[in-house]
């Protein structure tokens, strides 16, 4: 760990010697990536690309035959007193149909008085259905005239409830409200990180540097992502995830590097020596940490789903760019600025400029932990296991719209009004049937039998609408489901259609292929695909992280402990998510309520993200422990020195990450609330309980066995003489620096034991 000729040291040295080239090259790369990304734009996933299983097969048929469904819309007209046959009610519906048709933006407009099933059973509601012209993916850009026409009828007839719901109007509502939420979160995260860094460094320029580098890393990565998206479409939330992750890791990497350089300057080293030490130590930690995060993120490729492929590419890009900036342009800037990096000092906030003596609070905690390591390990482990317990009952599903948004949201209220008046009408199942000749008598009989059999199940409502595309030999059947369109009754209806009704009717005709899709079927297929992906992704991430840690620290025990502790902190975070969002325990504290489930894509995504990010602190802390041990300190003293010397920076980094992810918890969408709380809790637990208690107590219990490397793996350590030479040849007496740090740690511990915390 202490060798002065590692890759990070060489990169830092080159950048310091060629600082103008390094800085100019970085700026040129960022500007070029931004220009390329801005010129080509980001291509986002289509609805079809999210599908899996039967839903995907149904979409493939429709897409291949040029029958990709348009954006469907519906307008509810409802009265608490008048029947739909009343003159005023009929007049309002007539005005609505005429006004919508006059926009020229709709097709397949259905008058509820001309189509069976579009007047409710209680006769107090009517449903006007239609499709938007053009492609569904951009229908929200053309829906405004229709919304205006609906609003006019609503204003002219205040005695009636007139509400619109559908693909285009919903997408526009999301753009106008939820996307603004995301932009607000993005804008909040940046000043939040800056404020925390300002408090930590006590100097404006030192605080600004990490944020600027993190933001330029995001801009470069997002530009490259836009170019890649033309070959592999990405989810529309990918850029927001990349920004928040890039801000978190980018600031952390710069914080670790800058913190070490300031520490060495405070110890009396000249600027050049301080920079060389920081490059060889913290720079190497940044490379190891970044590599571990990248390896973890690459596990998402094993999911076999385009959604996670896009997340993987975006997150890997921003981590690689942030890592590159931290070990190249940052040392160049520090070499250029020298001690002027502390420009804009704020009195009383210069904590990180003090000579390294360790945090008094963490020093007091550590003294007690190392005094009774077995008790500390058991207590911390039991606490995390207690938090993790609810994860045993985790239930995942692709959250329906009414669970994603607060109940008082206008869009959700409209959804419920339509579902109550027309059960299953807001989100019917869609059966796609393809045959050699859909007009053949046996096919027509099978379609009639299907409708009858579906209604006989008692799990399907009227009207079952059949649309025949004779030229393409495709039939689409819209089947309203019993239940609310997303509950267990509706899911049972989908399963009944697939396992009983279709095999007994449509599948009896040779050459007929039938698949069930629709919002609920899509969700069920998506969830099933995710469940099958969890085991290979989880296994890959843990094995890959183990190998990276083994290669980096040349210790079987360190690698195993790293994986186990990360797994424990992730399990505890998942347990908190289940308790809060599935069961609703303490949900009010987070401004939400229990919805009975965790978003289906979240466990896989959060596991990969958390496993990678947890390595940030772990690598940084263990690197300092290993550095002290390589300098000759016994394991217990090396642990004490490593934890004390990193406590301040790990705390600052954790506060930034918790703050950044906490911003997600303020969003309206339930899945992002879950992600923000889960990630924030995990980082908080990781930086406190795991790094401050579990890690030092476990390593203390292991003693020298912590550095055990089997004989068959001895080639990883290299010749003993080389390792000894590495310590002797460390730049500017860096081994002596580590040894002096251990001595300082011993003295601090003695003072704390005498004076208390």
């Amino acid at each position: 760990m202490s060798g002065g000729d590692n890759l990070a040291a060489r990169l830092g040295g080159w950048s310091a010697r060629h600082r103008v080239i390094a800085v100019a090259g970085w700026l040129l790369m960022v500007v070029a990536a931004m220009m390329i990304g801005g010129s080509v734009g980001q291509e986002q996933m289509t609805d079809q690309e999210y599908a899996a299983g039967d839903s995907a097969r149904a979409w493939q048929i429709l897409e291949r035959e040029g029958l990709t469904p348009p954006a469907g819309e519906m307008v509810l007209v409802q009265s608490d007193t008048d029947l739909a046959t009343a003159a005023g009610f009929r007049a309002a519906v007539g005005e609505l149909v005429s006004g919508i048709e006059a926009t020229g933006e709709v097709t397949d407009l259905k008058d509820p008085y001309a189509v069976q099933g579009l007047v409710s059973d209680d006769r107090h509601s009517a449903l006007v259905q239609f499709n938007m012209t053009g492609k569904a993916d951009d229908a929200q850009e053309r829906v405004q005239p229709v919304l205006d026409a609906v609003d006019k009828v609503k204003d002219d007839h205040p005695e009636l409830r007139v509400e619109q719901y559908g693909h285009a109007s919903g997408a526009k509502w999301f753009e106008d409200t939820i996307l603004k939420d995301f932009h607000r979160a993005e804008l909040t995260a940046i000043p939040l990180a800056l404020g925390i860094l300002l408090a930590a460094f006590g100097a404006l320029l030192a605080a600004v540097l990490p944020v600027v580098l993190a933001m330029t890393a995001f801009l470069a990565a997002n530009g490259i992502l836009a170019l890649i998206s033309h070959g592999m479409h990405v989810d529309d939330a990918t850029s927001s995830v990349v920004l928040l992750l890039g801000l978190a890791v980018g600031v952390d990497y710069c914080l670790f590097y800058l913190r070490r350089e300031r520490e060495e300057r405070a110890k009396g080293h000249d600027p050049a020596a301080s920079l060389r030490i920081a490059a060889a130590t913290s720079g190497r930690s940044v490379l190891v940490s970044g590599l571990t995060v990248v390896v973890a993120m690459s596990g998402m490729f094993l999911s076999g789903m385009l959604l996670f492929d896009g997340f993987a590419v975006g997150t890997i890009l921003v981590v690689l760019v942030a890592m590159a900036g931290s070990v190249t342009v940052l040392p160049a800037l520090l070499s250029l600025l020298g001690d002027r990096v502390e420009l804009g000092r704020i009195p009383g906030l210069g904590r990180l400029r003090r000579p390294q003596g360790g945090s008094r609070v963490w020093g007091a905690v550590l003294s007690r932990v190392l005094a009774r390591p077995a008790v500390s390990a058991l207590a911390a482990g039991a606490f995390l296991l207690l938090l993790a317990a609810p994860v045993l009952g985790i239930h995942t599903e692709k959250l329906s719209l009414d669970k994603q948004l607060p109940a008082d949201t206008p869009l959700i209220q409209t959804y419920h009004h339509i579902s109550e008046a027309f059960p299953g009408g807001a989100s019917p199942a869609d059966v796609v049937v393809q045959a050699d000749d859909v007009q053949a008598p046996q096919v027509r009989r099978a379609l009639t039998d299907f409708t009858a059999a579906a209604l006989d199940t008692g799990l399907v409502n009227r009207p079952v609408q059949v649309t025949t595309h004779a030229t393409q030999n495709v039939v689409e059947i819209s089947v309203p489901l019993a239940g609310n369109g997303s509950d267990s009754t509706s899911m049972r209806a989908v399963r009944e259609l697939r396992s009983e009704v279709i095999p007994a009717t449509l599948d009896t005709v040779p050459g007929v292929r039938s698949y069930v899709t629709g919002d609920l079927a899509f969700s069920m297929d998506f969830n099933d695909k995710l469940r099958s992906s969890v085991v290979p992704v989880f296994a890959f991430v843990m094995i890959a992280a183990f190998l990276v840690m083994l290669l980096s620290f040349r210790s079987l025990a360190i690698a195993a402990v790293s994986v186990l502790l990360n797994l424990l902190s992730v399990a505890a975070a998942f347990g908190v998510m289940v308790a809060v969002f599935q069961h609703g325990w303490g949900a009010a504290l987070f401004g939400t309520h229990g919805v009975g489930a965790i978003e289906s894509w979240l466990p896989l995504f959060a596991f990969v993200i958390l496993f990678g990010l947890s390595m940030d602190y772990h690598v940084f802390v263990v690197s300092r422990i290993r550095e002290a041990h390589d300098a000759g300190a016994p394991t217990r003293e090396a642990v004490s020195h490593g934890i004390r010397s990193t406590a301040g920076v790990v705390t600052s980094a954790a506060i930034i990450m918790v703050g950044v992810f906490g911003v997600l918890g303020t969003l309206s969408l339930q899945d992002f609330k879950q992600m923000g709380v889960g990630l924030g809790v995990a980082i908080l637990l990781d930086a406190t309980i795991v790094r401050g208690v579990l890690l030092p107590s476990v390593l203390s219990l292991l003693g020298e066995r912590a550095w055990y490397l089997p004989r068959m793996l001895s080639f990883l350590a290299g010749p003993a003489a080389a390792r000894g030479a590495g310590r002797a040849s460390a730049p500017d007496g860096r081994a002596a620096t580590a040894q002096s740090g251990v001595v300082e740690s011993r003295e601090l511990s003695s003072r704390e034991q005498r004076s208390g915390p």
Side-chain angles (χ1 to χ4, degrees):
M1 283 297 300
S2 53
D5 58 349
N6 61 51
L7 177 61
R10 293 196 294 273
L11 287 172
W14 183 91
S15 299
R17 293 191 302 273
H18 305 86
R19 54 200 187 192
V20 175
I21 295 176
V23 174
W26 174 263
L27 293 175
L28 183 63
M29 183 273 293
V30 172
V31 171
M34 289 175 60
M35 291 180 64
I36 292 173
S39 63
V40 301
Q42 190 178 99
E43 286 289 325
Q44 297 177 352
M45 291 175 63
T46 62
D47 292 339
Q48 299 93 309
E49 290 174 322
Y50 290 93
D54 265 17
S55 295
R57 298 181 188 97
W59 277 103
Q60 287 166 5
I61 290 174
L62 296 175
E63 190 171 25
R64 185 170 59 246
E65 300 298 336
L67 299 172
T68 304
E73 292 287 314
M74 57 189 76
V75 180
L76 175 70
V77 181
Q78 189 175 67
S79 172
D80 294 331
T81 56
D82 292 341
L83 296 178
T85 53
F89 196 115
R90 292 185 71 103
V93 172
E95 292 172 21
L96 184 65
V97 170
S98 300
I100 292 173
E101 192 170 28
T103 65
E105 299 289 353
V106 307
T107 61
D108 302 322
L109 181 62
K110 294 182 175 67
D111 188 323
Y113 298 110
V115 178
Q116 184 181 5
L118 295 185
V119 175
S120 65
D121 291 340
D122 66 2
R123 317 300 291 171
H124 283 279
S125 303
L127 199 63
V128 178
Q129 292 182 336
F130 56 92
N131 295 322
M132 296 296 299
T133 58
K135 294 182 178 180
D137 293 333
D138 57 5
Q140 67 271 16
E141 298 173 7
R142 301 184 302 278
V143 76
Q144 188 59 53
V146 179
L147 293 172
D148 293 340
V150 173
D151 286 341
K152 183 179 185 306
V153 175
K154 182 177 181 179
D155 293 339
D156 291 344
H157 297 272
E159 74 280 3
L160 298 175
R161 175 180 288 129
V162 182
E163 298 174 330
Q164 182 173 347
Y165 178 86
H167 185 287
S169 56
K172 180 169 176 53
W173 183 87
F174 266 80
E175 285 186 356
D176 293 343
T177 56
I178 301 302
L179 291 186
K180 288 182 179 178
D181 258 9
F182 277 103
H183 296 324
R184 177 181 54 79
E186 294 166 359
L187 294 175
T188 302
I190 297 169
L192 179 64
L194 183 60
I196 295 169
L197 286 169
L198 187 61
F201 281 111
L204 182 60
L205 186 55
V208 167
L209 270 183
V211 174
V212 169
L213 284 175
M215 285 305 301
T216 53
F218 159 71
L219 293 172
N222 202 49
I224 299 171
L225 178 65
L227 183 62
I228 293 174
S229 72
H230 285 262
M232 184 191 73
H233 296 170
V234 298
D235 182 79
D236 56 4
T238 304
S239 288
S240 294
V241 171
V242 168
L243 171 60
L244 295 175
L245 184 65
L247 187 61
V249 299
V251 168
D252 275 5
Y253 293 162
C254 293
L255 180 61
F256 294 159
Y257 205 112
L258 182 55
R259 171 63 166 80
R260 186 59 185 265
E261 191 273 343
R262 292 289 87 194
E263 178 186 329
E264 297 304 325
R265 283 292 289 130
K267 288 180 178 179
H269 291 101
D270 62 70
S274 298
L275 196 53
R276 285 196 296 272
I277 295 171
T281 54
S282 290
R284 184 181 187 277
S285 297
V286 166
L287 291 181
V288 173
S289 174
L291 176 62
T292 308
V293 176
V294 166
V295 168
M297 301 303 176
S298 64
M300 286 189 279
F301 289 122
L302 297 180
S303 70
M305 303 179 74
L306 185 61
L307 170 67
F308 291 104
D309 291 347
F311 280 144
V313 169
T315 53
I316 287 172
L317 276 174
V318 77
V319 171
L320 286 176
V321 176
M323 181 175 64
S326 299
V327 297
T328 56
V329 71
L330 182 59
L333 287 172
L334 292 178
S335 174
L336 186 66
L337 293 170
D339 287 337
R340 287 173 295 180
V341 74
E342 295 193 359
L343 185 67
R345 290 187 182 185
I346 300 175
L349 293 180
R351 191 180 68 176
L352 291 186
R353 292 195 302 272
R354 298 185 314 181
Q356 177 63 17
S359 163
R360 288 180 60 83
V361 174
W362 278 112
V365 172
L366 188 62
S367 296
R368 288 158 175 76
V369 167
L370 295 180
R372 305 183 70 181
V375 173
S376 300
L378 286 174
F383 175 69
L384 292 179
L385 287 173
L386 180 64
L387 291 180
V391 82
L392 297 175
I394 189 172
H395 169 65
T396 62
E397 65 179 56
K398 196 170 192 314
L399 297 179
S400 57
L401 191 63
D402 60 325
K403 292 182 179 179
Q404 281 279 17
L405 294 169
D408 59 353
T409 303
L411 189 68
I412 297 303
Q413 292 180 342
T414 300
Y415 175 87
H416 285 309
H417 292 155
I418 295 176
S419 296
E420 289 167 4
F422 300 90
S427 53
D430 297 312
V431 181
V432 177
V433 182
Q434 187 173 45
D436 296 331
D437 181 9
V438 296
Q439 302 285 23
Q442 63 268 37
V443 175
R444 305 310 302 175
R445 283 195 300 271
L447 291 170
T448 301
D449 292 343
F450 168 84
T451 300
L455 291 170
D456 286 344
T457 64
L459 295 170
V460 168
N461 298 312
R462 297 180 185 274
V464 176
Q465 301 180 39
V466 179
T467 303
T468 302
H469 306 282
T471 304
Q472 294 87 355
N473 281 314
V474 172
V475 176
E476 294 182 75
I477 311 173
S478 176
V479 186
L481 302 173
N484 64 11
S486 62
D487 60 8
S488 58
T489 300
S490 299
M491 286 191 280
R492 188 155 59 92
V494 171
R495 295 190 186 99
E496 188 80 7
L497 289 175
R498 286 175 167 174
S499 63
E500 300 293 337
V501 178
I502 288 177
T505 56
L506 298 172
D507 286 355
T508 61
V509 181
V512 171
R513 295 167 297 283
S514 308
Y515 305 105
V516 181
T517 184
D519 291 343
L520 180 58
F522 174 96
S523 172
M524 294 167 65
D525 292 337
F526 186 89
N527 210 20
D528 289 343
K529 176 65 175 177
L530 273 176
R531 288 194 185 99
S532 67
S533 304
V534 165
V535 172
V537 171
F538 280 28
F540 171 83
V541 170
M542 288 188 290
I543 292 171
F546 175 85
L547 293 176
V548 171
M549 297 301 288
L550 179 63
L551 291 170
S552 301
F553 292 102
R554 309 183 303 275
S555 165
L556 192 65
I558 290 292
V561 166
S562 301
V563 172
L564 290 175
L565 294 188
N566 272 10
L567 195 59
L568 188 56
S569 65
V570 170
F574 277 17
V576 172
M577 277 198 297
V578 171
V580 173
F581 296 101
Q582 183 173 318
H583 300 304
W585 303 338
L589 297 175
F590 300 96
T592 186
H593 61 284
V595 294
I598 301 299
E599 171 63 42
S600 56
W601 60 266
L602 190 55
L604 187 150
F605 178 78
F607 177 84
V608 172
I609 294 289
L610 288 176
F611 217 86
L613 292 182
S614 293
M615 287 297 179
D616 264 356
Y617 309 135
H618 193 81
V619 168
F620 188 66
V621 173
V622 175
S623 295
R624 293 300 294 265
I625 295 172
R626 180 84 206 205
E627 182 184 334
H629 185 266
D630 284 353
T635 296
R636 185 184 177 90
E637 293 182 3
V639 168
S640 178
H641 169 69
I643 300 294
R644 293 176 194 277
S645 60
T646 57
V649 68
V650 166
T651 300
S652 299
I655 292 173
I656 291 171
M657 274 203 182
V658 170
V660 168
F661 293 133
V663 170
L664 290 175
T666 67
L667 299 178
S668 299
L669 286 177
Q670 178 75 196
D671 53 359
F672 281 94
K673 276 185 177 291
Q674 293 181 1
M675 181 167 68
V677 171
L679 295 179
V681 168
I683 296 300
L684 182 63
L685 293 174
D686 196 72
T688 54
I689 305 298
V690 175
R691 307 302 161 213
V693 180
L694 261 180
L695 179 64
S697 59
V698 170
L699 293 185
S700 179
L701 289 171
L702 288 173
E704 293 304 311
R705 290 170 295 183
W707 314 108
Y708 170 70
L709 191 67
R711 189 182 301 273
M712 68 177 65
L713 299 177
S714 58
F715 66 90
L716 295 176
R723 292 177 63 187
R727 289 196 298 272
S729 61
D732 293 295
R734 183 164 43 77
T737 298
Q739 289 172 332
S740 68
V742 174
V743 171
E744 291 172 6
S745 181
R746 290 175 183 169
E747 292 175 350
L748 179 65
S749 179
S750 297
R751 289 197 301 270
E752 286 172 345
Q753 289 174 357
R754 291 194 301 269
S755 62

